[in-house]
Amino acid sequence: MPGWLGGLVEESFFVGCGTHENRRKNEKNIFCLGCCTSICPHCVPAHPSHPLSRVRRYVYNDVVRLEDLEKLIDCSFVQPYTINSAKVVFLKPRPQSRPSKVAGNTCSTCDRILQEPFRFCSLSCKVDHVLLQGEDLSSILFRFDESELAFSRFENLRMDNSDLLLDDDDGRGSSGTKKNKSNAGFFPQIVLSLNNRRKGAPHRSPLS
């Protein structure tokens, strides 16, 4: 498993940053794929050449926008939720009081009830399933353009984090459907080398 993938599904987010413990709005809500660790908005300037991904919260669990994750990994059959007009995917399975015993479509890893035709409730469940089947994770990893995950996307990050919080009180989001990702672009090895990063100014993209 590449270091960034293990870090993304295992890291703790929305906890205070020890480096900036005396600063306001210091919750770790960004993941650095180069350092394989979670960082806060105040840390971003120290990672100018690293690919970064934003993590959000929905019903008190960590989620990432589907459009961001699909740049890194095949998310087909992972159930997405539509919140505030954006599709998101849970990074980890949500806690359950007991495994579901209801007949129907459930997560292949944790047995959470899902809508058809989805097979996984979270990115972590899909990754675990691939490993348990003895398959190579390279079959679901994509080559990604680091300029699309560059520092410039975070230069205007609002420090109040208002655009990162997707919690709602009723805990319901609408599930969405998606087309399977094409096999074109599968990347047998992901190497995030500081020495091999492309030079030049990154392409700017508007912050949504």
Side-chain angles (χ1 to χ4, degrees), residues 49-192:
S49 62
H50 295 183
L52 306 172
S53 184
R54 290 168 60 181
V55 178
R56 295 165 168 84
R57 293 281 276 178
Y58 174 61
V59 290
Y60 308 107
N61 287 272
D62 301 330
V63 298
V64 174
R65 284 185 175 176
L66 181 60
E67 64 177 337
D68 292 338
L69 270 183
E70 286 183 322
K71 298 170 184 175
L72 307 170
I73 190 168
D74 177 15
C75 294
S76 59
F77 299 109
V78 179
Q79 181 165 305
Y81 292 82
T82 302
I83 303 120
N84 297 340
S85 301
K87 289 186 178 181
V88 299
V89 168
F90 286 99
L91 291 179
K92 304 173 185 177
R94 287 168 288 165
Q96 300 185 79
S97 57
R98 63 180 63 87
S100 172
K101 295 182 180 180
V102 179
N105 189 48
T106 60
C107 176
S108 297
T109 303
C110 73
D111 295 327
R112 175 176 286 275
I113 297 175
L114 302 175
Q115 294 185 2
E116 294 283 359
F118 301 107
R119 297 173 53 199
F120 310 102
C121 71
S122 64
L123 177 65
S124 177
C125 281
K126 177 166 184 173
V127 171
D128 287 347
H129 179 78
V130 172
L131 293 175
L132 288 172
Q133 294 298 309
E135 300 177 15
D136 193 334
L137 286 177
S138 64
S139 64
I140 62 173
L141 298 176
F142 295 140
R143 181 191 302 272
F144 60 88
D145 185 348
E146 292 189 13
S147 67
E148 295 182 359
L149 303 168
F151 167 77
S152 60
R153 298 171 64 245
F154 295 84
E155 287 181 306
N156 297 319
L157 181 64
R158 287 184 287 180
M159 297 307 294
D160 61 3
N161 294 337
S162 60
D163 57 346
L164 299 179
L165 303 178
L166 298 175
D167 282 327
D168 63 6
D169 293 333
D170 62 11
R172 292 175 296 178
S174 59
S175 297
T177 58
K178 59 183 289 299
K179 296 181 180 179
N180 289 351
K181 198 86 169 168
S182 168
N183 286 347
F186 279 179
F187 189 40
Q189 283 186 321
I190 289 185
V191 180
L192 293 175

Side-chain angles (χ1 to χ4, degrees), residues 9-28:
V9 298
E10 295 295 337
E11 271 290 296
S12 296
F13 296 96
F14 293 91
V15 295
C17 174
T19 303
H20 299 101
E21 58 184 353
N22 296 324
R23 303 283 296 274
R24 296 186 59 194
K25 308 301 180 183
N26 66 346
E27 286 186 327
K28 294 182 176 182

Side-chain angles (χ1 to χ4, degrees), residues 34-55:
C35 299
C36 304
T37 190
S38 55
I39 61 176
C40 79
H42 302 291
C43 297
V44 169
H47 301 254
S49 62
H50 295 183
L52 306 172
S53 184
R54 290 168 60 181
V55 178

